[in-house]
Amino acid sequence: MNKTSCFFIVPALLMMLAGTVSCMMDGGLYDMSYPNMGEIIQPDEYGDRFEEFLDNPFINTADQNVSTFSVDADGASYAYMRRMVGNGILPSKSAVRIEEFLNYFTFNYPEPAGGADVAINAEVGACPWEPEHRLLRLGIKGRDIFEGKHPQSNYVFLIDVSGSMASKDKLPLLKEGMKMMVDYLDPEDRISIVTYASGVSKLLESTPAREASKIKKVIGKLSASGSTAGGAGMRMAYEECLTNFIDGGNNRVIMGTDGDFNVGETSTDAILELAENYASKGIYLTVCGFGSGNLNDAMMEKVSNAGNGTYEYIDSEDELTKVFVIERNKFISVANDVKNQITFDKDMVKAYRLIGYENRVLDNDDFENDEKDAGEIGAGQTITALYEIIPGEGFAQSKAIAKYDLRYKKILGAVSVPLSMDVVTLNPEGSSADLDLAAGVAAYGMLLRRSKYAGSSSFDMATDLVRRSINSNNGIDPYQIQLRENFIDLVGKAKKISSGE
């Protein structure tokens, strides 16, 4: 999960050199440039800051048939897009991370079996935007934890109460989310509250959730003013979490901010090192971003990654409910340092392209290196990845086109556990409801990114694919159906914005 490129408030922005290799395939020239992951653009026209990146390129299997990447369990990019589209604006292309669009949704994947903490699945099907190509969908499901079976939790709420958090879509919204979460915690779970503005303060010592009224009273008194000493706030919150550390429990800092550190410890290296240091002690970090016009998305994503955590963006009360109530089990990690590796058959697959995950790509040697950091999966969470593939001469139905390997750790610092399966082309001309959903979301993401790989993608295509996933009646729960319906509404709004209506 660790990304070491620079983010905001640095004297010079680092830029990785992108080597360019080209190859001719089917009479076309495919750009083989590797993503430029180091540039942090200046605030966009709306005042928000995002990390610039290029889409993953097609790679010829004759040159490299192995692809390795870390999971990404964040959902921030999708929620930010929803806010912008709801305001009649298409988001900046750098704000669109397709993997976060995909992983915003829970797919209908099989539960882990035989004592495993995760289960993997895969399918090969049609590629709607390039009929001569195919899509490979990879799916991961983290084991669920049912009521009464949760490990005891030690939460520290780290709250930005600086002046920039004063607007109603920031601190007031965050306060409501924290209050809701308190109501759903187990009575013996514990909560501390640390705030930061011009200085830092511990407003609530570690308190059991059964004392909900006491906790909510402290939350209710929070108000915003002053500048932003975020680094010092993080240090105090981590120390509070460490002081009350629960062996075998869920120890996590939940940070709410618009991401603008401007006082005290603002060095990139210092903040990343701080998060990494406490992550190595078994403390996870979830960062929740709020508001726009001052949002430092680049910083928040990097810090959450360094801290073995996730990054969410809260744009509404509905999203508060999703993050803090409906999907609160994701605050409990069931699989750590999760890495994927795909080995393509060179005869079956001519070239491939990983859709999204640009800042999660790993060196192939990192896969079996248990010292290399990667992403975490929360309880009950699904992770989805897509590869667009160009079939080779040997491509045929009912044949294995690739081997899918995954490694994860049951607990941080443990030896990783391997999982493996062959990817077989059972129905390469069709698609399941899961592939329809993934393809529709990816097509929409490519349109928003103005991707050169979008092919014949259209807003109508995205709508039709996701509608088809809803109509399949494959056991989707009502909440997930509603999320898909809401996505279709967003696509319709984006289409109108794009056409100038």
Side-chain angles (χ1 to χ4, degrees):
M1 268 168 71
N2 185 9
K3 289 179 275 182
T4 57
S5 55
C6 288
F7 53 98
F8 78 117
I9 314 180
V10 286
L13 301 175
L14 299 180
M15 183 179 295
M16 295 173 63
L17 295 177
T20 300
V21 181
S22 296
C23 65
M24 294 295 298
M25 291 182 287
D26 297 338
L29 182 65
Y30 284 81
D31 182 6
M32 301 284 285
S33 301
Y34 283 82
N36 175 346
M37 294 307 306
E39 181 182 2
I40 304 301
I41 62 173
Q42 295 300 314
D44 63 15
E45 58 267 44
Y46 315 116
D48 299 327
R49 304 178 200 175
F50 300 92
E51 183 176 26
E52 191 77 67
F53 62 94
L54 303 177
D55 292 342
N56 285 322
F58 275 100
I59 296 176
N60 192 337
T61 55
D63 299 325
Q64 176 57 264
N65 71 322
V66 180
S67 174
T68 307
F69 66 98
S70 164
V71 300
D72 185 338
D74 299 346
S77 180
Y78 183 92
Y80 180 84
M81 172 277 298
R82 180 177 58 210
R83 175 177 187 144
M84 299 301 284
V85 170
N87 289 337
I89 303 166
L90 294 181
S92 304
K93 62 180 296 186
S94 55
V96 178
R97 296 185 289 271
I98 293 177
E99 67 275 14
E100 295 185 25
F101 282 28
L102 291 168
N103 294 327
Y104 186 84
F105 298 91
T106 298
F107 285 68
N108 193 31
Y109 294 158
E111 293 286 338
D117 293 292
V118 296
I120 59 175
N121 64 86
E123 72 170 305
V124 180
C127 179
W129 53 84
E130 290 285 359
E132 299 302 316
H133 296 182
R134 298 292 180 268
L135 287 182
L136 163 59
R137 178 192 55 76
L138 304 177
I140 310 170
K141 174 69 182 292
R143 67 176 172 88
D144 219 333
I145 298 178
F146 300 100
E147 293 295 334
K149 301 293 184 180
H150 299 123
Q152 187 179 354
S153 292
N154 162 34
Y155 291 115
V156 178
F157 289 152
L158 173 59
I159 310 304
D160 181 352
V161 292
S162 62
S164 66
M165 289 288 289
S167 60
K168 64 180 181 180
D169 60 346
K170 295 184 180 181
L171 184 58
L173 193 59
L174 173 56
K175 289 164 64 173
E176 291 305 310
M178 290 188 293
K179 289 177 182 178
M180 283 195 296
M181 184 175 171
V182 170
D183 287 334
Y184 286 89
L185 294 177
D186 293 338
E188 297 308 310
D189 289 342
R190 304 189 71 84
I191 292 176
S192 306
I193 298 176
V194 172
T195 63
Y196 65 94
S198 301
V200 299
S201 178
K202 181 166 63 176
L203 297 187
L204 181 70
E205 299 278 356
S206 184
T207 302
R210 66 174 180 271
E211 298 182 34
S213 59
K214 177 181 178 180
I215 298 168
K216 290 181 180 180
K217 185 176 181 180
V218 174
I219 294 171
K221 291 182 178 179
L222 296 175
S223 61
S225 65
S227 50
T228 317
M234 286 179 63
R235 188 175 297 280
M236 177 178 283
Y238 272 128
E239 280 299 310
E240 174 69 8
C241 199
L242 190 62
T243 297
N244 299 286
F245 192 88
I246 300 171
D247 288 330
N250 174 36
N251 300 278
R252 183 175 294 264
V253 173
I254 300 177
M255 181 180 190
T257 180
D258 59 9
D260 189 19
F261 292 7
N262 54 30
V263 171
E265 191 171 32
T266 61
S267 158
T268 298
D269 291 341
I271 293 173
L272 290 179
E273 184 178 355
L274 177 69
E276 290 169 350
N277 178 49
Y278 284 95
S280 70
K281 301 177 189 296
I283 299 175
Y284 296 87
L285 174 68
T286 293
V287 179
C288 296
F290 290 81
S292 61
N294 191 44
L295 185 76
N296 199 323
D297 176 273
M299 184 281 291
M300 288 187 282
E301 190 192 16
K302 287 183 178 299
V303 171
S304 68
N305 292 337
N308 276 352
T310 55
Y311 169 36
E312 306 289 348
Y313 177 78
I314 310 297
D315 66 323
S316 63
E317 291 186 3
D318 286 344
E319 189 66 10
L320 278 179
T321 303
K322 180 179 187 290
V323 171
F324 287 100
V325 178
I326 297 173
E327 297 180 355
R328 67 189 184 280
N329 274 4
K330 293 180 183 178
F331 288 135
I332 304 172
S333 179
V334 297
N336 302 279
D337 290 338
V338 184
K339 304 169 189 172
N340 302 276
Q341 187 167 84
I342 315 301
T343 304
F344 291 97
D345 185 298
K346 294 182 180 181
D347 293 327
M348 296 284 284
V349 176
K350 187 174 186 178
Y352 60 90
R353 187 179 85 83
L354 177 60
I355 300 175
Y357 292 91
E358 284 83 2
N359 53 15
R360 302 291 179 144
V361 173
L362 299 173
D363 291 338
N364 292 331
D365 291 343
D366 291 334
F367 183 65
E368 295 186 358
N369 178 7
D370 282 349
E371 298 301 313
K372 181 66 177 179
D373 192 32
E376 279 64 49
I377 298 176
Q381 188 166 24
T382 63
I383 301 294
T384 301
L386 286 176
Y387 282 88
E388 183 176 346
I389 61 176
I390 300 174
E393 293 182 359
F395 189 88
Q397 187 165 334
S398 301
K399 299 291 185 180
I401 69 163
K403 182 184 178 186
Y404 175 24
D405 291 292
L406 178 143
R407 299 188 78 93
Y408 76 95
K409 298 174 184 175
K410 289 180 175 289
I411 58 174
L412 290 169
V415 175
S416 61
V417 178
L419 298 175
S420 183
M421 67 174 291
D422 288 332
V423 179
V424 179
T425 59
L426 295 178
N427 186 23
E429 306 298 328
S431 59
S432 69
D434 287 323
L435 185 55
D436 284 339
L437 173 61
V441 171
Y444 177 65
M446 288 190 294
L447 289 172
L448 294 184
R449 281 196 51 76
R450 280 78 84 190
S451 173
K452 65 181 179 181
Y453 302 110
S456 63
S457 295
S458 68
F459 294 111
D460 290 340
M461 175 189 289
T463 296
D464 292 343
L465 287 165
V466 176
R467 175 63 64 194
R468 200 161 72 189
S469 80
I470 295 172
N471 293 339
S472 65
N473 295 316
N474 69 334
I476 311 167
D477 73 68
Y479 179 68
Q480 288 299 320
I481 290 176
Q482 187 59 57
L483 289 183
R484 298 182 193 193
E485 294 281 5
N486 293 346
F487 172 80
I488 290 172
D489 290 341
L490 282 171
V491 174
K493 292 177 181 177
K495 179 182 178 182
K496 289 182 178 179
I497 298 168
S498 180
S499 64
E501 293 183 29

